[in-house]
Structures are given as C-alpha cells and as structure tokens.
Amino acid sequence: MSGTWMTTRAWLLMLPLLVIMVAIIGWPLVDTVRLSFTDAQLVGTSGNYVGLDNYTNMLMGSNFTRTLATTTWFAVVSVAAEMVLGVLAALLLNQQFRGRAVLRGLMILPWALPTVVNATLWRLIYNPEYGALNAALTQLHIIGDYRSWLGEPGTALAALIVADCWKNFPLVALIALAALQAVPRDITAAALVDGAGPFNRFRFVILPYLAGPLMVALVLRTIEAFKVFDIIWVMTRGGPANSTRTLSILVYQEAFSFQRAGSGASLALIVTLLVTVLAVAYAALVRKTAGSAA
C-alpha cells in the first residue's frame, strides 16, 4: 500500500474529528474576532463596525493596566511558591519513613478537590466572624482582633494566593516526586561517599533530573495562573475595590456584567494572545532544556 494512500486514509479517518473541532472551536473564535471590531451589546443590537477602537480603548485604559499588573503578580508569586513547596514536599516524600504511603495519598486531596469547593473552604477559613484563621491567630496572640482578610485590599490578594498554592502545589510535588524516582541510587550514594553535602547533592545530582519535569510543571501552572477565574470569583468576585480583579474576571465583567460584547470580545482575544505568547515561549524553553539534558 503506497504512502500517499496511507496519508489520505489517515486524513479521512481524522475528518470527523476535524469537523467537530472546527464547529466547536473554530467558528466561535471567528465570531469572537468579528465581534471585537464592533460596538455590539450583549442584548439588543449586533453593533456597528468600529475598527480597532475596542483594542485601543482597552490597552490604553487604566483598568487594563491595573488588572494586568494584578494578574501578573498573582501568577508570579503563586507559581513560585508552588514550585518551591512542591519540590520540598517531593524531597520529603521521597524519603523512607513510616506512613509515607498515607501521606502521599493525603497530599493529593487538595489538588483533587474541585476548585469551587476549595474556594468555599478557604472563604470559610478567612471568615471575619467565625473563621478558623482569626481564631488561631487571636489565641496565639498574633493579632488582637478578628480581621476581614478578604475584605481588605491589602490582604485579599495574598489570601487568594495562599488558597491557590494550597490547592495546586501537590501537582508540582507529584511531578517532582516522579522525577526523583528516576534518579539512580548509585549516583546519590557516590556523591555521599565523596563528601557532598545535602545542598551540593541536590544542586549537582538531583536537580538535573528535575529540570525537565519541573519546566513542564512551570509551563502548566503559569498558564493556568495567568488565566485564573474560578477561585477568585468564588472568594472575592474581584474585590474589594477591584484589588483582586484578574484579566479573566475583567473579560467577564465587560461582556456580561456591563453587556459590552464587542469590548469583551477584544479583551478576550488580548488575553488569548498573551497566554499564547507564554505557551510558545515556555515550549521553546522546554525544548531547549530537553536538548541540553540530552
């Protein structure tokens, strides 16, 4: 059977899937691009052509600049904390001790919880009237009075970052733990015999095996953190005073709360472009890391 016929047959077998993908992804994307060049409202009118006005108004507006800064800060701090906590947890769970299997199973629970459930739990923990965090801090005499952690602009974003880290660092830990299982025992034993301390063993023996998998975890978590919506919407809805509003929440508000479908579509495409740039940059970094490791 010729190679040309095999290729044609493969495309024919893939055709139903391609048609479904175009219908589900392609057409909504094209329609979103069309809407972004109009002043369409969500209800009542299809809108008139306004060119690049939606894009320029969004990019030049103070709301976009402030929201982009909030989103970037949330992504950078939460992902950095998750990477550090995940690696430390993986190093701990890679040791031999009684109850290790149970602890590994328990560590998966935060990541396995639905995001809405996780957000609701943390909202109860931060509750200004009966929250567990206020109770613990007052009993330890760290604070004198109960505080509204999610109601103050100075603490709301930090509280959200803690909740997001608690849910997602187990994913990094599982990826790092799987990589640690591949580190040859004789290499670590030889480094120990040669007198290498814990830091040097980690830096020169273990870290090269972790670099590739951790880069994958970094890519996945950065993209997810940059387009975060659900945990923030459940806990603060972008408040107080828009101090926790991210780009995804701004898209929702523009399109549905303010019913400006045109500007909402343009902002959604801007966010999509930013996430795509991140994905491409990280993919290139992953290939470079894999090539150097090889």
Side-chain angles (χ1 to χ4, degrees), residues 175-275:
I175 294 175
L177 182 60
L180 286 173
Q181 303 297 309
V183 179
R185 299 292 181 183
D186 55 346
I187 295 180
T188 56
L192 184 62
V193 170
D194 290 340
F199 178 78
N200 286 330
R201 290 202 304 273
F202 176 78
R203 170 66 180 84
F204 296 106
V205 178
I206 298 175
L207 190 58
Y209 287 89
L210 291 179
L214 287 182
M215 187 61 64
V216 174
L218 180 65
V219 171
L220 295 176
R221 285 302 309 135
T222 302
I223 293 175
E224 288 295 322
F226 197 81
K227 60 187 183 69
V228 64
F229 175 84
D230 42 9
I231 189 171
I232 296 180
W233 184 255
V234 172
M235 294 182 69
T236 65
R237 294 185 180 270
N242 294 327
S243 61
T244 62
R245 183 171 63 181
T246 59
L247 288 174
S248 296
I249 291 179
L250 184 59
V251 171
Y252 177 87
Q253 291 176 338
E254 281 290 324
F256 297 101
S257 298
F258 307 142
Q259 298 193 5
R260 295 193 285 257
S263 60
S266 64
L267 182 59
L269 290 173
I270 292 172
V271 174
T272 302
L273 179 61
L274 291 174
V275 173

Side-chain angles (χ1 to χ4, degrees), residues 107-126:
M107 190 189 64
I108 301 175
L109 289 180
W111 179 60
L113 279 177
T115 304
V116 174
V117 176
N118 173 66
T120 303
L121 289 174
W122 278 97
R123 190 171 63 181
L124 294 174
I125 292 172
Y126 291 135

